[in-house]
Amino acid sequence: MIGISLSFSSLLLLVFLVMLAVTTIFSAILVYHWRAYGESAAITTQTMILYFVGIAVVFGGMAAAIGMAF
């Protein structure tokens, strides 16, 4: 049996990349839903801006934390 050995920082990076991929797919579906079924274009645009700023802050904080682990 071949074992896979990852350091803690490599594991964090792997988890970060998986979370980024999942969030990207989820975001594409969510934006499509907001655009297709939203009642107001202005509210949809404001909601998307707020959502993407929040995602950027969360992933920026995680990237900074992972950068300190290396």
Side-chain angles (χ1 to χ4, degrees):
M1 179 181 348
I2 299 174
I4 297 175
S5 175
L6 289 174
S7 66
F8 182 68
S9 57
S10 296
L11 180 65
L12 281 179
L13 182 60
L14 180 63
V15 169
F16 174 75
L17 293 176
V18 168
M19 288 176 61
L20 187 61
V22 169
T23 301
T24 301
I25 293 168
F26 177 73
S27 296
I29 294 168
L30 197 57
V31 167
Y32 169 76
H33 177 77
W34 283 337
R35 288 286 183 196
Y37 302 109
E39 294 180 10
S40 168
I43 292 173
T44 298
T45 302
Q46 291 173 353
T47 303
M48 283 177 32
I49 290 170
L50 182 63
Y51 176 75
F52 285 123
V53 166
I55 290 294
V57 168
V58 167
F59 278 105
M62 285 194 304
I66 291 171
M68 286 190 282
F70 278 104

